[in-house]
């Protein structure tokens, strides 16, 4: 799990094709790798990847065919900047929102406007993801935890403050650029729960009898 609070800007050093998928080597930028071990997870522009090799100032990850098909990692080139975040520890502050690092789809930057010292991005989302996106809700874009300001048809608006722009790849986003999207976990699981629970279960109040029938001590 991650929080969507970017810890460092990394850079792609090498992309090696390996039997249909890739091994990617990255420079870690300012990311502290002192507590990272082989097998640990690091989010790379919003994609949870496993560390398979460690270097003094970088690491390597394997990217499966499934990940290449569902994310934008396959479009990265040597020198590309990426957002980096180490996996969340239970004692860490949850500064953003709960992020799994499992990309749901790809969006596209529709427009960019300055707003004071901030920058407003309109992002077009795939139709199948729009039902999970709500005004003032959370969304993860290229690994960055952001708040949805408003919805406009098939687009959502984001307001990025100068700090976020300076610490992430968002400062380099351009109109037409595609971005990785992960919707809020709560919205996704809530939909699944509503879809699978029967109408009678939704209407049944919790009682001592119903808990006892399910084996709970009452």
């Amino acid at each position: 799990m991650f929080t969507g609070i970017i810890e460092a800007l990394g850079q792609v050093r090498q992309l090696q094709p390996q039997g249909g998928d890739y091994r990617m080597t990255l420079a870690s930028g300012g990311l502290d790798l002192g507590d990272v071990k082989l097998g640990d997870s690091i989010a790379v522009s919003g994609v949870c990847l496993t560390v398979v090799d460690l270097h003094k100032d970088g690491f390597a990850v394997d990217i499966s065919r499934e990940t290449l098909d569902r994310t934008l990692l396959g479009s990265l080139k040597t020198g590309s900047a990426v957002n980096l975040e180490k996996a969340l520890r239970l004692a860490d502050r949850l500064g953003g929102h709960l992020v799994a690092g499992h990309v749901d789809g790809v969006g596209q930057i529709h427009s960019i406007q300055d707003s004071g010292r901030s920058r407003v991005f309109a992002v077009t989302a795939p139709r199948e993801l729009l039902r999970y996106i709500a005004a003032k809700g959370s969304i993860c874009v290229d690994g960055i935890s952001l708040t949805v300001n408003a919805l406009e048809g098939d687009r959502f608006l984001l307001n990025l403050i100068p700090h976020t722009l300076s610490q992430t790849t968002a400062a380099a986003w351009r109109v037409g650029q595609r971005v990785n999207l992960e919707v809020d976990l709560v919205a996704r699981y809530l939909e699944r729960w509503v879809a699978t629970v029967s109408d009678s279960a939704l209407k049944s109040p919790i009682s001592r009898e119903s808990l006892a029938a399910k084996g709970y001590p009452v």
Side-chain angles (χ1 to χ4, degrees):
M1 297 296 294
F2 305 90
T3 69
I5 303 299
I6 303 306
E7 296 179 89
L9 280 173
Q11 189 177 59
V12 177
R13 281 179 172 164
Q14 189 177 26
L15 279 167
Q16 299 171 285
Q18 293 193 338
D21 52 33
Y22 282 89
R23 174 163 292 190
M24 181 167 61
T25 303
L26 301 114
S28 57
L31 190 70
D32 179 12
L33 298 177
D35 59 350
V36 174
K37 310 182 299 298
L38 294 181
D40 283 356
S41 296
I42 293 179
V44 179
S45 288
V47 185
C48 177
L49 297 171
T50 300
V51 176
V52 297
D53 197 10
L54 275 170
H55 313 288
K56 182 179 179 180
D57 59 350
F59 60 97
V61 295
D62 284 337
I63 309 175
S64 69
R65 188 73 255 168
E66 169 76 4
T67 300
L68 290 169
D69 290 342
R70 288 184 172 271
T71 73
L72 297 173
L73 291 187
S75 65
L76 296 176
K77 300 177 176 61
T78 300
S80 293
V82 291
N83 296 316
L84 299 178
E85 182 191 355
K86 292 187 291 187
L88 175 68
R89 296 173 297 188
L90 290 179
D92 287 343
R93 290 188 178 92
L94 187 60
H97 70 285
L98 287 175
V99 174
H102 302 157
V103 171
D104 293 300
V106 173
Q108 188 172 45
I109 305 297
H110 178 268
S111 65
I112 305 172
Q113 292 184 325
D114 289 331
S115 177
R117 295 184 303 118
S118 298
R119 199 172 295 171
V120 177
F121 295 85
V123 183
T124 302
R127 183 180 300 275
E128 64 270 18
L129 297 186
L130 288 171
R131 64 179 179 270
Y132 302 112
I133 303 172
K136 303 309 175 185
S138 296
I139 192 163
C140 189
V141 182
D142 271 0
I144 310 167
S145 173
L146 297 168
T147 299
V148 177
N149 274 14
L151 294 168
E152 295 181 350
D154 63 349
R155 297 186 292 274
F156 60 92
L157 303 185
L158 304 168
N159 186 95
L160 273 66
I161 61 174
H163 177 80
T164 303
L165 293 169
S166 68
Q167 299 298 312
T168 70
T169 58
W173 289 349
R174 297 292 180 264
V175 172
Q177 181 170 337
R178 298 190 300 160
V179 288
N180 291 320
L181 301 179
E182 181 186 333
V183 298
D184 186 35
L185 281 171
V186 175
R188 188 161 49 195
Y189 282 112
L190 181 60
E191 181 193 53
R192 176 63 178 167
W193 180 79
V194 170
T196 55
V197 161
S198 67
D199 288 341
S200 60
L202 285 172
K203 295 174 182 176
S204 297
I206 296 176
S207 64
R208 293 176 63 89
E209 291 74 19
S210 65
L211 290 175
K214 294 181 182 297
Y216 290 96
V218 292

